Amino acid sequence: MIIIQPIGNVEEEILEFLKKFISTIFNTRCIVSNQKLATPEDAYNPLRNQYHSTRLLLFLKNVLRGDFNRILGVTNVDLYAPHLNFVFGEAESPGKFAIISTYRLKHPDRRIFLERVLKEAIHELGHTIGLAHCSNPSCVMYFSNSIIDTDKKSPKFCKECLKELKTRNKC
Ligand SMILES: [Zn+2]
Ligand SMILES: [Zn+2]
């Protein structure tokens, strides 16, 4: 089962949208957690005015220790990793925990915004299953260096990644 865990205030519509498509794509049960989690302020870096994504991931792991499900954290704060200006998300690969941020995915067209969120969610969940980055620019496992890459790729796995996913999802 995949649990979607909001961190801070995340719109219900985003969570419900993710739930619907994630359960279909990964062919598993998916629920939205009703546990309220505040954004941990020790992950905040005032010099960058951003949150450290690995620390947020560790926070999730600590809070949800002993949960044997796959967890997708969703936040609306801006995330960074030490050598990158920003990240859209981060995941253990392979592992059980992933997070995504909606912060840099905003678009006036709601449909485009939601599709971006879904792509990043599937990408990070793909990592938790053990999938690496893919060289096919239309595959969801393609690394997004910028939002342009996210918009170019589809929310789907390419043939190769899908094959890999099916093999790994069994174990
Ligand atoms: Zn990635
Ligand atoms: Zn691929």
Side-chain angles (χ1 to χ4, degrees):
M1 183 160 77
I2 297 171
I3 296 179
I4 301 172
Q5 173 64 60
I7 306 166
N9 279 329
V10 181
E11 289 165 83
E12 200 60 38
E13 188 200 6
I14 297 172
L15 303 169
E16 289 301 321
F17 177 84
L18 284 175
K19 177 178 128 178
K20 184 172 147 198
F21 286 96
I22 283 171
S23 69
T24 310
I25 290 161
F26 291 96
N27 192 25
T28 182
R29 239 186 110 208
C30 181
I31 60 162
V32 176
S33 163
N34 52 20
Q35 188 177 356
K36 296 266 175 270
L37 290 183
T39 312
E41 283 312 310
D42 64 348
Y44 180 67
N45 182 333
L47 297 172
R48 301 183 56 137
N49 193 25
Q50 288 176 304
Y51 287 77
H52 194 298
S53 73
T54 315
R55 277 194 218 145
L56 267 190
L57 202 57
L58 287 174
F59 162 77
L60 259 194
K61 279 188 81 160
N62 271 323
V63 173
L64 304 174
R65 203 195 303 257
D67 195 316
F68 297 105
N69 298 296
R70 210 172 287 280
I71 313 280
L72 174 71
V74 183
T75 174
N76 57 14
V77 298
D78 196 15
L79 298 179
Y80 78 96
H83 301 289
L84 297 167
N85 289 334
F86 67 89
V87 290
F88 293 123
E90 186 175 335
E92 299 181 304
S93 186
K96 291 189 308 184
F97 290 86
I99 47 163
I100 56 160
S101 162
T102 61
Y103 187 87
R104 294 190 181 252
L105 305 177
K106 299 211 167 69
H107 192 281
D109 183 333
R110 192 73 180 165
R111 193 185 50 87
I112 294 175
F113 167 67
L114 289 173
E115 192 164 275
R116 285 173 172 177
V117 177
L118 181 64
K119 287 173 188 175
E120 293 309 324
I122 296 167
H123 181 98
E124 297 305 339
L125 286 170
H127 280 318
T128 65
I129 290 164
L131 295 187
H133 285 148
C134 179
S135 58
N136 180 343
S138 62
C139 173
V140 76
M141 290 314 293
Y142 188 79
F143 173 68
S144 288
N145 206 11
S146 75
I147 197 69
I148 299 163
D149 297 319
T150 305
D151 285 339
K152 264 195 250 165
K153 69 186 179 186
S154 85
K156 292 186 177 144
F157 294 99
C158 73
K159 238 190 234 162
E160 293 304 310
C161 288
L162 198 61
K163 215 165 84 189
E164 183 78 11
L165 181 77
K166 280 184 178 155
T167 317
R168 289 177 179 269
N169 229 350
K170 268 183 211 140
C171 15

